[in-house]
Amino acid sequence: MDQRIKNRELRKKITTPQKAAEFIKDGMNIATSGFTPSGYPKAIPLALAEKVKKTGEKIRIGLLTGASVGDELDGALAEQGIIAKRYPYQTNKPIRDRINAGETAYADIHLSHFPQQVRYGFFGKIDIAIIEAAAITEEGNIIPTTSVGASPAFTRAADKIMIEINTSQPLELKGIHDIYQLQDPPSRKPIPLTKPDDRIGYPYIPVNPDKIQCIVITDIKDNVRPFAPVDETSRKMAGHLIEFLQNEVKKGRLPQNLLPLQSGVGSVANAVLLGLLESPFQNMDFYSEVIQDSVFDLIDAEKIRIASGTSITPSEEGLIRFYNNIDSYKNKIILRPQEISNNPEVIRRLGSIAMNTAIEVDIYGNVNSTNIMGSRMMNGIGGSGDFARNAYLSIFTTPSTAKNGDISCIVPMVSHVDHTEHDVHVIVTEQGIADLRGLSPRERAEVIIENCAHPDYKPMLRDYYRRAVENGGHIPHIMKEALSWHERFLETGSMK
Amino acid sequence: MDQRIKNRELRKKITTPQKAAEFIKDGMNIATSGFTPSGYPKAIPLALAEKVKKTGEKIRIGLLTGASVGDELDGALAEQGIIAKRYPYQTNKPIRDRINAGETAYADIHLSHFPQQVRYGFFGKIDIAIIEAAAITEEGNIIPTTSVGASPAFTRAADKIMIEINTSQPLELKGIHDIYQLQDPPSRKPIPLTKPDDRIGYPYIPVNPDKIQCIVITDIKDNVRPFAPVDETSRKMAGHLIEFLQNEVKKGRLPQNLLPLQSGVGSVANAVLLGLLESPFQNMDFYSEVIQDSVFDLIDAEKIRIASGTSITPSEEGLIRFYNNIDSYKNKIILRPQEISNNPEVIRRLGSIAMNTAIEVDIYGNVNSTNIMGSRMMNGIGGSGDFARNAYLSIFTTPSTAKNGDISCIVPMVSHVDHTEHDVHVIVTEQGIADLRGLSPRERAEVIIENCAHPDYKPMLRDYYRRAVENGGHIPHIMKEALSWHERFLETGSMK
């Protein structure tokens, strides 16, 4: 423990998860570390859930995190009905079910906006921040673990801080983090980051030790998620994408090593990125939110020179691989606060190539990434808006169909909009690619239908579009039918 | 002319509008100065329209501007069928009619994105830039007139440059402009602007004189637009807004002099801003896109300390007032390229209070600012997305009804989305204000319906929402009915 907690005074604050959980009261706002099941606290939330389960005590809290967290936090607390409010992103079934049932009030917020809005006071007072740490320095500062997320904003805003020292997280994580903190308006200064490998901050989260309420020791591992195996659909999407990027290089619109890549969360994003292994591109930079398994492959193949993100988001094997080679990966990987990894200022300056996944896309280029059939929350917008809006190139990928073909992912009108027609440059499905830059909505409709839709749905889309054009307008639609595909699916189980 | 064109060599390039127009050929991309009918070229486009009218020659061009331009450009060319493609914003009836008829391909693009995307080559080659100037310096650089817009990007990207010296624009404009130009990725640096009054560039647009093809002299005045008189509805919206802002100051979330204000284009925005004259706020900063009449009033009343924008967008009387007091206004007004006035980096750093107008808003907080009944383009998104997405506070104003009450501006689902639920903090109608920060969609629906909807439509909205909730989901909807209000309006002329 001498290595884990260098400050002697603070060692006196070590307590049990059960005693720590006692500080959490009904009505509190609890803000925790954690980003895409990495680096979230586990022992204290498990103790809290256990207590509520045993005693039946009514505790309802607001839970604020960096992004999604594991089952020991979202799942355990949701199952006990503890989460009254939830911000800004989740991927956990128990909490998702409660959100869709209206039992948990969830606000789905751009991940770069969230930390500053916490400081601005938009979510009320933060009572306690619970932060997972690899270690605490002599001065009482926190060395985070596999994610940084919103932890620096939370420790700044919270009245009290609880720390979970997680001994399953190697001490060698020290030095991988780059914690730069922003002043708030009207005193904010330019962020001095001009290359993905710039280090501009501290290797720890500065903390006022007086705010540390208690420290808990645990060894519960991050409950990371597996990636689905790469399928033919993903391979085809990656192929279209690489061909497109090669053409942009040929036309002189992109340098030989491209511009810094961003890639969304999940299996499809991971698989598409993996396709770059077989591309001719070398010496690429990766400036993104999450660092998934494919990035390790690209680093190992010397395709990626540097990877900057806010979280390591690997599979179980990926995590072991990362731990086993941490000293060499540390030279190629930087973890930053999500306020910096996802910052519009930096993304626009660097000129990101943003690659995010869609749930559905409409014929005019609007993208739904969050709500199935307009209503049922899947995960959340996450950082996709931070990147898509500010990127040099904003690309969305989706298979052309879902549910064994019963859903067309290309529809007349999306049932929920997360990325507007103004923010979508390129759409990729396994069928092909639609380059929407400079096109009017009518021009977009033709290229999206012809290049991206599944053959089973093309005639229906063409028919809708042709009849909509008879109505006229910049964005031709038939109000009565625009959402009829979703209606049909809800009624019959198929859009066909 | 010695004062207007200081470079002697360039005086030799003076020609007639008719001869200049001869350089414009079918298929060309023509990029012009001009932003919200200010500072756009007039003589050359009028000569081109006249020629096509007389000769019947087929000339179809792509027209790229800063934002909207006057009738001498958009109107005259549209009426002759000259505009094949149009970017990125317009407010002119002849061009709008052609856009909605599908005769002109219009892409509606964020105004801060457009200039860089022109340089990136997303719209193809720019053949000619036509820039209105107050004067040309000894070195051949351009002193713009009442707007800067995208002119610096256009002169950089274009093969050739034509200049319209407009003698109706006073030479005293010299010194009002601050032209800072960005490098493109991967070489871009932080924008060194940390206060609205910072001057970070040149007082002219740097130009390579070899690219100057010809110069035309004209005295046609900017065809500015009147503002509608301030009505009771606007007065009530301003009242709600001021009360809200006062409360934010009281809660410690805003400083006494607020944070830099942004206000959208048009009569409602002008009227709402005018309401600040009767507010207790002093020493405010204004960091916006357009500087309308109300800003002159606020400067004169010493309410606004500094006003930064990309365009002076006054009424006819406002323009005369500006010209008559130009030397004193010059100390309080800065005109920048739209890439800087609307830059996400700067807007987020300064912490703007963004106040934009909506066409319609839905019960979950999504905003339509562009397409009436989902299809008919009104003007375009303009800079509203640049500000709303990056603001400290993102506020949208709209009267609760339109068309004498036949349209409810609060609807179950907007028929087109420009600003998603993730980007809208506050909605203001004459009925009241809805503060959406930290609220889930269901919580938003209740506050929007109760605080903002017109009493005539409240029961219908409550009924839709109540039945939608029975379907469940994070964002409860009834797909079959979500757009039925628009459908009904199109069929019967009323949403009732």
Side-chain angles (χ1 to χ4, degrees):
Chain A
M1 212 33 62
D2 287 11
Q3 283 305 303
R4 295 279 179 175
I5 309 176
K6 293 219 169 172
N7 181 308
R8 277 158 195 250
E9 280 304 302
L10 286 177
R11 280 182 219 151
K12 297 178 190 160
K13 298 199 177 180
I14 295 176
T15 186
T16 63
Q18 289 70 27
K19 284 194 181 144
E22 287 299 325
F23 290 112
I24 300 174
K25 307 289 182 198
D26 186 47
M28 277 187 169
N29 260 344
I30 307 295
T32 79
S33 63
F35 198 104
T36 54
S38 286
Y40 54 97
K42 301 157 190 91
I44 300 172
L46 283 174
L48 175 66
E50 190 61 29
K51 174 182 120 166
V52 168
K53 192 176 178 182
K54 269 195 193 145
T55 64
E57 186 181 340
K58 188 206 147 217
I59 299 185
R60 298 269 289 164
I61 63 167
L63 177 62
L64 300 79
T65 62
S68 54
V69 292
D71 205 50
E72 300 86 346
L73 175 48
D74 255 343
L77 297 192
E79 274 162 7
Q80 298 310 316
I82 295 171
I83 307 178
K85 285 178 170 285
R86 182 73 176 90
Y87 313 98
Y89 184 82
Q90 57 69 41
T91 57
N92 180 276
K93 189 173 177 335
I95 183 83
R96 181 188 298 136
D97 289 346
R98 275 158 185 82
I99 288 167
N100 284 316
E103 292 162 20
T104 291
Y106 175 51
D108 178 20
I109 300 163
H110 298 296
L111 296 185
S112 86
H113 288 197
F114 184 61
Q116 68 178 18
Q117 292 181 354
V118 166
R119 291 197 304 274
Y120 296 168
F122 288 7
F123 308 99
K125 188 162 88 86
I126 307 299
D127 298 287
I128 301 173
I130 313 179
I131 309 294
E132 182 180 272
I136 301 174
T137 69
E138 188 72 49
E139 301 74 22
N141 299 318
I142 292 175
I143 309 285
T145 60
T146 37
S147 71
V148 179
S151 298
F154 292 159
T155 54
R156 234 163 109 184
D159 285 351
K160 294 287 175 190
I161 301 168
M162 296 182 185
I163 299 174
E164 275 199 13
I165 295 281
N166 192 318
T167 57
S168 81
Q169 297 273 20
L171 270 171
E172 288 75 16
L173 282 166
K174 190 176 167 183
I176 202 168
H177 312 98
D178 183 55
I179 314 294
Y180 177 86
Q181 294 202 69
L182 290 159
Q183 299 268 75
D184 288 330
S187 313
R188 189 171 291 171
K189 296 282 171 284
I191 301 170
L193 193 159
T194 59
K195 297 190 307 296
D197 40 351
D198 283 347
R199 285 186 169 271
I200 60 173
Y202 300 111
Y204 50 75
I205 302 172
V207 164
N208 171 1
D210 296 344
K211 283 174 50 169
I212 299 178
Q213 189 162 38
C214 61
I215 299 168
V216 161
I217 316 292
T218 182
D219 64 354
I220 309 172
K221 287 193 173 60
D222 270 344
N223 191 355
V224 295
R225 294 171 304 170
F227 292 106
V230 177
D231 61 6
E232 191 53 23
T233 302
S234 301
R235 243 189 297 271
K236 281 186 180 162
M237 291 197 281
H240 296 313
L241 190 65
I242 290 162
E243 198 187 325
F244 169 80
L245 293 172
Q246 282 185 283
N247 198 38
E248 289 297 297
V249 173
K250 214 178 287 168
K251 293 237 167 96
R253 287 194 290 253
L254 281 177
Q256 292 280 352
N257 69 336
L258 304 180
L259 283 168
L261 300 172
Q262 176 262 340
S263 169
V265 184
S267 292
V268 171
N270 191 61
V272 169
L273 206 58
L274 215 48
L276 286 171
L277 268 180
E278 281 143 51
S279 77
F281 307 119
Q282 303 285 346
N283 254 321
M284 291 181 283
D285 286 355
F286 188 74
Y287 191 88
S288 192
E289 181 180 287
V290 294
I291 294 171
Q292 304 191 136
D293 287 15
S294 51
V295 175
F296 300 140
D297 291 316
L298 288 161
I299 289 175
D300 292 351
E302 297 189 348
K303 289 285 198 182
I304 282 182
R305 201 178 63 83
I306 185 81
S308 166
T310 190
S311 162
I312 307 278
T313 309
S315 66
E316 207 175 331
E317 312 82 68
L319 187 59
I320 293 166
R321 177 176 172 190
F322 170 70
Y323 284 161
N324 286 343
N325 301 282
I326 191 162
D327 281 321
S328 76
Y329 281 135
K330 243 163 68 177
N331 299 320
K332 308 258 185 175
I333 291 176
I334 303 176
L335 297 182
R336 311 178 187 276
Q338 71 195 64
E339 213 172 338
I340 303 298
S341 66
N342 288 25
N343 198 287
E345 170 174 341
V346 178
I347 293 164
R348 181 156 163 153
R349 181 182 301 147
L350 298 179
S352 296
I353 299 176
M355 300 179 289
N356 290 288
T357 53
I359 286 176
E360 59 178 359
V361 175
D362 72 29
I363 57 173
Y364 299 114
N366 300 285
V367 168
N368 175 7
S369 345
T370 56
N371 282 273
I372 292 173
M373 301 298 141
S375 286
R376 297 197 76 78
M377 172 54 66
M378 190 65 199
N379 302 321
I381 191 166
S384 58
D386 295 323
F387 283 93
R389 169 68 67 90
N390 298 291
Y392 183 100
L393 262 178
S394 161
I395 300 166
F396 282 88
T397 57
T398 175
S400 69
T401 60
K403 293 259 177 210
N404 296 317
D406 281 326
I407 291 177
S408 175
C409 301
I410 313 288
V411 289
M413 180 188 266
V414 288
S415 56
H416 182 264
V417 178
D418 293 291
H419 308 285
T420 70
E421 47 152 346
H422 316 285
D423 296 326
V424 180
H425 297 145
V426 176
I427 291 165
V428 184
T429 69
E430 84 289 354
Q431 299 293 321
I433 198 160
D435 180 357
L436 309 179
R437 291 173 296 172
L439 301 188
S440 71
R442 291 179 187 221
E443 292 168 331
R444 279 178 231 151
E446 304 209 351
V447 65
I448 291 172
I449 296 172
E450 297 312 321
N451 296 7
C452 296
H454 192 277
D456 288 356
Y457 288 101
K458 266 189 200 178
M460 287 167 67
L461 288 166
R462 287 184 194 130
D463 174 63
Y464 175 83
Y465 175 64
R466 185 185 53 73
R467 288 182 297 112
V469 163
E470 287 170 16
N471 281 350
H474 175 58
I475 303 183
H477 264 307
I478 305 165
M479 284 291 113
K480 204 183 271 236
E481 284 184 41
L483 297 172
S484 64
W485 293 33
H486 301 86
E487 200 183 311
R488 189 157 56 246
F489 176 82
L490 290 171
E491 277 168 13
T492 70
S494 174
M495 285 186 174
K496 277 180 187 159
Chain B
M1 213 33 61
D2 287 11
Q3 283 306 304
R4 294 279 179 177
I5 308 177
K6 293 221 170 171
N7 180 307
R8 277 159 195 252
E9 279 305 302
L10 286 177
R11 281 182 218 150
K12 297 179 189 159
K13 298 201 178 181
I14 294 176
T15 185
T16 63
Q18 290 70 26
K19 284 194 181 145
E22 287 299 325
F23 290 112
I24 300 173
K25 308 289 183 198
D26 186 48
M28 277 188 169
N29 260 343
I30 307 295
T32 79
S33 63
F35 198 103
T36 53
S38 287
Y40 55 95
K42 302 157 189 90
I44 300 172
L46 283 174
L48 175 66
E50 191 59 30
K51 174 182 121 165
V52 168
K53 193 176 177 181
K54 269 196 194 144
T55 64
E57 187 180 341
K58 188 207 147 218
I59 299 185
R60 298 268 291 163
I61 63 168
L63 177 62
L64 299 80
T65 61
S68 54
V69 292
D71 205 51
E72 300 86 347
L73 176 47
D74 255 343
L77 298 192
E79 273 161 9
Q80 297 309 317
I82 294 171
I83 308 178
K85 284 177 170 286
R86 183 74 177 89
Y87 313 98
Y89 184 80
Q90 56 70 40
T91 56
N92 180 276
K93 189 174 178 332
I95 182 83
R96 181 187 299 135
D97 289 347
R98 275 158 185 81
I99 288 166
N100 284 316
E103 292 163 20
T104 291
Y106 174 53
D108 179 20
I109 299 163
H110 298 297
L111 296 185
S112 86
H113 288 196
F114 184 61
Q116 68 177 19
Q117 291 180 355
V118 166
R119 291 196 306 273
Y120 296 168
F122 288 6
F123 309 98
K125 187 163 88 85
I126 307 300
D127 298 287
I128 301 174
I130 314 179
I131 309 293
E132 181 179 273
I136 301 174
T137 69
E138 187 71 49
E139 299 75 22
N141 298 319
I142 292 175
I143 310 285
T145 59
T146 36
S147 71
V148 178
S151 299
F154 292 160
T155 54
R156 234 163 110 183
D159 285 351
K160 293 287 174 191
I161 301 168
M162 297 183 186
I163 300 174
E164 275 199 14
I165 295 279
N166 192 318
T167 57
S168 82
Q169 296 273 20
L171 270 171
E172 288 74 17
L173 282 165
K174 191 176 166 185
I176 202 167
H177 312 98
D178 184 55
I179 315 294
Y180 177 86
Q181 294 203 67
L182 290 160
Q183 299 267 75
D184 287 331
S187 312
R188 188 170 291 172
K189 297 283 172 281
I191 301 170
L193 193 158
T194 58
K195 297 189 306 295
D197 40 350
D198 282 346
R199 287 186 168 272
I200 59 174
Y202 300 110
Y204 51 76
I205 301 173
V207 163
N208 170 1
D210 297 342
K211 282 171 55 166
I212 299 178
Q213 189 162 37
C214 61
I215 298 168
V216 162
I217 316 292
T218 182
D219 63 355
I220 309 172
K221 287 193 173 59
D222 271 344
N223 192 354
V224 295
R225 295 172 304 171
F227 291 107
V230 178
D231 61 5
E232 191 53 25
T233 301
S234 301
R235 243 190 296 271
K236 281 185 180 163
M237 290 196 284
H240 296 314
L241 191 64
I242 289 163
E243 198 187 325
F244 169 80
L245 293 173
Q246 283 184 282
N247 198 38
E248 289 298 297
V249 173
K250 213 177 288 169
K251 294 238 168 98
R253 286 194 290 253
L254 281 177
Q256 291 280 352
N257 68 336
L258 305 181
L259 283 167
L261 300 172
Q262 176 260 340
S263 169
V265 184
S267 292
V268 171
N270 190 61
V272 169
L273 206 57
L274 215 48
L276 285 172
L277 268 180
E278 281 143 50
S279 78
F281 307 119
Q282 303 284 347
N283 255 322
M284 291 181 283
D285 285 355
F286 187 74
Y287 191 88
S288 192
E289 181 180 287
V290 293
I291 294 171
Q292 304 191 137
D293 287 14
S294 50
V295 176
F296 300 140
D297 291 316
L298 288 162
I299 288 176
D300 292 351
E302 297 190 346
K303 289 285 197 183
I304 283 184
R305 200 178 64 82
I306 186 81
S308 166
T310 190
S311 163
I312 306 278
T313 308
S315 66
E316 208 175 330
E317 311 83 67
L319 187 58
I320 293 166
R321 177 176 172 190
F322 170 69
Y323 284 160
N324 286 344
N325 301 282
I326 191 162
D327 281 322
S328 76
Y329 281 136
K330 243 163 68 178
N331 299 320
K332 308 259 185 173
I333 292 176
I334 303 176
L335 297 183
R336 311 178 187 276
Q338 71 196 65
E339 214 172 337
I340 303 298
S341 65
N342 289 24
N343 197 288
E345 170 174 341
V346 178
I347 293 164
R348 181 156 163 153
R349 181 182 301 147
L350 298 179
S352 296
I353 299 175
M355 300 180 288
N356 290 287
T357 54
I359 287 176
E360 59 178 0
V361 176
D362 71 28
I363 57 173
Y364 299 113
N366 299 284
V367 169
N368 175 9
S369 349
T370 56
N371 283 272
I372 292 173
M373 301 299 140
S375 286
R376 298 198 77 77
M377 171 54 66
M378 189 65 199
N379 302 320
I381 191 168
S384 58
D386 294 324
F387 283 93
R389 170 66 68 91
N390 298 291
Y392 183 99
L393 262 178
S394 162
I395 300 166
F396 282 88
T397 58
T398 176
S400 69
T401 60
K403 292 260 178 210
N404 296 317
D406 280 326
I407 290 177
S408 175
C409 301
I410 313 289
V411 290
M413 180 188 266
V414 287
S415 57
H416 182 264
V417 179
D418 293 290
H419 309 286
T420 70
E421 47 151 346
H422 316 286
D423 296 326
V424 180
H425 297 143
V426 175
I427 292 167
V428 184
T429 70
E430 83 289 353
Q431 298 293 321
I433 197 159
D435 179 357
L436 310 179
R437 291 173 295 172
L439 300 189
S440 71
R442 291 178 186 222
E443 292 168 329
R444 281 178 229 150
E446 305 208 352
V447 65
I448 291 173
I449 296 172
E450 298 312 322
N451 296 6
C452 296
H454 191 277
D456 288 356
Y457 287 101
K458 266 189 200 179
M460 288 167 66
L461 287 166
R462 286 185 195 129
D463 173 64
Y464 175 84
Y465 175 64
R466 185 185 52 74
R467 288 182 297 113
V469 165
E470 286 169 15
N471 281 349
H474 175 58
I475 303 184
H477 264 308
I478 305 165
M479 283 291 113
K480 202 183 273 239
E481 284 184 42
L483 297 172
S484 63
W485 293 34
H486 302 86
E487 200 183 311
R488 188 157 56 246
F489 176 82
L490 290 170
E491 278 168 13
T492 69
S494 173
M495 285 187 174
K496 279 179 185 159

